[in-house]
Amino acid sequence: MDAVMELEIGPGPDPGSFVVRVLQSVGGGEPSETFRLDLDDLLRRRPELEANVLLSSIAARRVMSDSEASIQEVGRRLFESAFTGSVASAYRTSMAVAAERGDSVQIALRLTAPGLAALPWEALYDPETERYLCRKDPLVRNVPAPASPRLQITAPLRVLGMIASPRGLPTLDVELERDRLEEALKPHIDDRRVELHWLEDVSWEGLHGKLLEREWHVLHFIGHGTYDTDTDEGVLAFVGPGGRADYVTASALADLLDEAEPTPRLVVLNSCQSGAAGATDLFSGTAAALAHSGIRAVAAMQFSISDAAALAFARGFYAALTNGRGIDEAVRSGRIGILGLGRGTLEWVTPVLYLRGDARLFDMVPLKWDPKPKPPLPGHRRRENWVPVPGQGAADPQSAPQSGPTPTRSSKRVWWWVIAAVIAALVITAAVVIAMRPELIGIGGGDDPGGSGDGGSASTAELVVPLNGDWVEAGLYCLLGDEFVIEVTGRGWLDAAQESEIGPDGLTNGEHPEERVLADANTGSVIGRLDTTPEIFPVGTGTTYVCPAQGDLQLGINDTDLADNSGEFGASVTLNQ
């Protein structure tokens, strides 16, 4: 979606007057108009509008409830004020041109008068087409900012979730809130498009430490937020000392998030009134302040929101985002998700998006592996230690003499044949060793310690160990006494549940011992063996292995039921020389 119509709405020449300018449009031209708006009256009506929106979560049976009538009336007033005269013409032209191209149009509002930022522009209603703008096209609140490159990330999208329910405020069912967000994200978690982590210590210090720990793409906050009219600034309630509320201001939270490297590109504030803006400070609302401080996009709620609507929004929002849609389209998708709760709901007007620059926040690099279950690898062809000579079977132990006189001439001839066979076997073994390890007699090697030169053998190997596959050859041959250093990284899953995620050490809590190949190692951990011996040894994230015999080194997974596993580990094997 490349079509954008951007409007700047700011103070006019007289008290009570405002100027709207078209900064960008599909149809071209930059007209401007002056209009009047009773801002004080609309601000006084905010509590009534919020109550009507929240009450609408109870489905109405009438064609239009009193609640919707009030929202529609405010939306009409805002539309007819801002989209007037030549600006209205530019809007109609842009819609027509976009329709011919099969595009939607992003309506971007740059509000430069503080009182305007507190109005519910998401309710804009076009009486001519009888539709709400934000339900047909993405609607964003634009924060001027220099262009910045998209963040290239490899799936999954890493989301840090935090649920703050301090004492003294209405209690949140933390487990239920977790379940709801996990339910909303489950399809994307299962497809490895999203990775959701929960912040356990929901204090200032806890978030600070987690932000420094690793890279996060999204911060998703669930909790209580409000607007402090004394300081004219939005606040969020973290958990402070003694479990009581620690009210964190928007400006302080912006500084805290700036500690992350890189700063999260997206913040989702699923809290009451987190999208509300003050009437005197343009960027005082929590969402607006975060966007102004440098966060590329902030999705928030300008009114209180019901649990059902919050869940529906999250489901539609993340579905669009993880499928490559822009953040503006993702918010619109969240609105449509809320709309599906019932004909009477008006909570689709509650989400607000503050955006700096391009709506494409991320360039998602496709997954490096297919997360879907794979067919098992073909069975491994194992080497045999001894192949009997054709026509010669094993001696009958009952007919073997226990003792007797000196062997006859014919028996001596047999012994000579045995000795000759042993010598031949030794020669063959030596030839194999020289072929595999020419550096032992000074052939090959030289300046190529990795064994990549002509006639050399490898002393290092890199391989992939799938969690749902059979034993994998490392490509290195073990001689008696050789020492190999094995290092393993990566992650995988033992079933479709997120909780089954493991690293190379497997299930460290000791679960499912009955499914182990090697009883002394964790279920799902990396294990190893030689193809010539029955002994299996633990590997995990790494080990040093001394070869007890000759054979090919193999790595596998300590799990007897591989069918539902997914993911893979990367292993590096080095021969110590």
Side-chain angles (χ1 to χ4, degrees), residues 195-237:
E195 186 179 278
L196 175 61
H197 295 260
W198 289 106
L199 179 66
E200 301 299 336
D201 180 4
V202 289
S203 65
W204 176 275
E205 294 79 8
L207 179 57
H208 189 189
K210 203 69 173 179
L211 290 172
L212 297 174
E213 187 176 293
R214 64 182 301 185
E215 179 179 337
W216 301 103
H217 306 134
V218 182
L219 173 66
H220 191 113
F221 175 88
I222 300 173
H224 297 288
T226 188
Y227 191 82
D228 189 340
T229 55
D230 292 333
T231 61
D232 198 36
E233 187 169 14
V235 297
L236 296 177

Side-chain angles (χ1 to χ4, degrees), residues 357-406:
D358 188 3
R360 299 282 176 173
L361 306 181
F362 313 107
D363 278 333
M364 299 286 288
V365 178
L367 292 168
K368 294 183 179 179
W369 50 271
D370 183 1
K372 298 178 181 178
K374 305 173 186 176
L377 297 178
H380 175 65
R381 189 179 65 184
R382 297 175 175 80
R383 252 182 225 259
E384 299 294 340
N385 281 336
W386 176 75
V387 178
V389 178
Q392 290 188 1
D396 183 358
Q398 292 183 351
S399 63
Q402 302 299 316
S403 61
T406 303

Side-chain angles (χ1 to χ4, degrees), residues 195-368:
E195 186 179 278
L196 175 61
H197 295 260
W198 289 106
L199 179 66
E200 301 299 336
D201 180 4
V202 289
S203 65
W204 176 275
E205 294 79 8
L207 179 57
H208 189 189
K210 203 69 173 179
L211 290 172
L212 297 174
E213 187 176 293
R214 64 182 301 185
E215 179 179 337
W216 301 103
H217 306 134
V218 182
L219 173 66
H220 191 113
F221 175 88
I222 300 173
H224 297 288
T226 188
Y227 191 82
D228 189 340
T229 55
D230 292 333
T231 61
D232 198 36
E233 187 169 14
V235 297
L236 296 177
F238 283 24
V239 176
R244 295 195 173 277
D246 175 20
Y247 291 102
V248 176
T249 63
S251 56
L253 181 57
D255 291 339
L256 177 59
L257 293 177
D258 196 45
E259 278 279 85
E261 289 292 346
T263 302
R265 292 295 178 99
L266 170 63
V267 174
V268 179
L269 299 177
N270 204 347
S271 63
C272 302
Q273 299 185 8
S274 56
T280 58
D281 182 357
L282 183 62
F283 294 104
S284 58
T286 309
L290 290 174
H292 182 58
S293 71
I295 303 297
R296 281 284 302 276
V298 184
M301 306 298 157
Q302 63 181 319
F303 299 136
S304 299
I305 187 168
S306 69
D307 291 337
L311 175 62
F313 174 81
R315 184 182 291 116
F317 174 79
Y318 283 107
L321 194 63
T322 56
N323 279 287
R325 300 290 186 92
I327 184 64
D328 56 344
E329 294 175 295
V331 171
R332 178 181 171 271
S333 181
R335 296 189 202 280
I336 300 303
I338 295 174
L339 189 63
L341 295 176
R343 188 180 64 186
T345 183
L346 298 172
E347 290 192 276
W348 48 263
V349 79
T350 298
V352 175
L353 174 63
Y354 285 88
L355 179 65
R356 293 169 58 92
D358 188 3
R360 299 282 176 173
L361 306 181
F362 313 107
D363 278 333
M364 299 286 288
V365 178
L367 292 168
K368 294 183 179 179

